[in-house]
Amino acid sequence: MPVVRGRAIRVLYDAETIAARNRAIADEIAKAGYHDLLVISILKGSFVFAADLIRALHEAGLAPEVEFISLSSYGAGTQSSGAVRVVKDIESDVEGRDVLLIDDILESGRTLAFARNLMVERGARRVGVAVLLDKTGKRETPVEADHVGFDCPDYFVVGYGMDVAHAFRELPFVGVVED
Ligand code: IMP
Ligand code: MG
């Protein structure tokens, strides 16, 4: 088991497994018929997944524009209060555009429901959702992803952009911090 910061990390999805899934998701997205695609990476957790997925999209023959939006839940602590706010917005006008939101994890669904509604309100023609991990058992708001890397068991995971208090984002795999 890799040890990082003195903690053993149990690997759930290794780098090769993730890379293979990224290629498959990119092929799926290429076949989904998005027109003049604008990809929006939801920061911070999705930055590594998005960086790999957009390059897989290039290999799959797409030439998307890429933007970033930083979203945050109100309130302190690890429990989300439920309200989501825009910390840093995209610069593009999405009216009439096909948008693909990229996030790391779909859990309660609040973050992606907020982001999707925001793009629909702004007049996007089509809003797709791609996530690396789907914790299907944790949904509180009805929202589904169109493109999913892995159905993930209900562990708190780190790595590949995902963090505990901003640590462990650099890991090239997704894992669970052991006690
Ligand atoms: P949702 O709004 O409950 O769907 O929250 C999804 C967001 O919470 C993700 O984009 C992550 O940033 C964060 N999150 C949820 N589960 C985990 C986890 O296991 N590890 C790290 N971040 C997580
Ligand atoms: Mg996130």
Side-chain angles (χ1 to χ4, degrees):
M1 251 187 239
V3 175
V4 183
R5 293 170 166 264
R7 306 291 301 269
I9 315 283
R10 182 163 53 88
V11 178
L12 282 185
Y13 310 106
D14 66 23
E16 291 71 27
T17 305
I18 294 170
R21 274 307 291 156
N22 287 346
R23 286 191 290 273
I25 298 169
D27 287 340
E28 197 180 285
I29 292 168
K31 288 187 185 118
Y34 295 100
H35 173 75
D36 186 24
L37 183 61
L38 171 64
V39 165
I40 302 177
S41 162
I42 300 177
L43 299 176
K44 306 183 179 90
S46 81
F47 80 108
V48 176
F49 175 45
D52 283 347
L53 187 60
I54 60 173
R55 286 176 288 180
L57 289 176
H58 166 77
E59 298 299 333
L62 296 186
E65 291 173 23
V66 180
E67 273 265 27
F68 302 89
I69 191 167
S70 186
L71 299 180
S72 174
S73 296
Y74 282 107
T78 52
Q79 282 300 103
S80 167
S81 63
V84 180
R85 72 192 165 94
V86 178
V87 177
K88 171 92 171 58
D89 209 340
I90 55 170
E91 294 166 5
S92 302
D93 182 0
V94 300
E95 189 170 354
R97 303 279 315 259
D98 286 8
V99 168
L100 179 68
L101 296 167
I102 299 186
D103 207 355
D104 51 357
I105 304 185
L106 176 52
E107 197 175 86
S108 75
R110 281 189 292 258
T111 305
L112 274 165
F114 174 89
R116 170 176 262 171
N117 289 343
L118 188 65
M119 298 307 150
V120 169
E121 278 168 19
R122 290 175 177 180
R125 192 180 79 102
R126 177 175 176 185
V127 184
V129 172
V131 296
L132 179 70
L133 306 179
D134 190 353
K135 293 186 187 172
T136 52
K138 299 279 282 184
R139 208 75 86 247
E140 290 171 27
T141 302
V143 55
E144 293 310 322
D146 304 282
H147 314 283
V148 175
F150 305 94
D151 281 335
C152 181
D154 182 23
Y155 299 123
F156 192 85
V157 298
V158 299
Y160 202 65
M162 293 171 280
D163 69 306
V164 182
H166 306 295
F168 301 112
R169 292 192 199 273
E170 77 284 7
L171 305 181
F173 50 82
V174 174
V176 180
V177 182
E178 296 284 63
D179 297 325

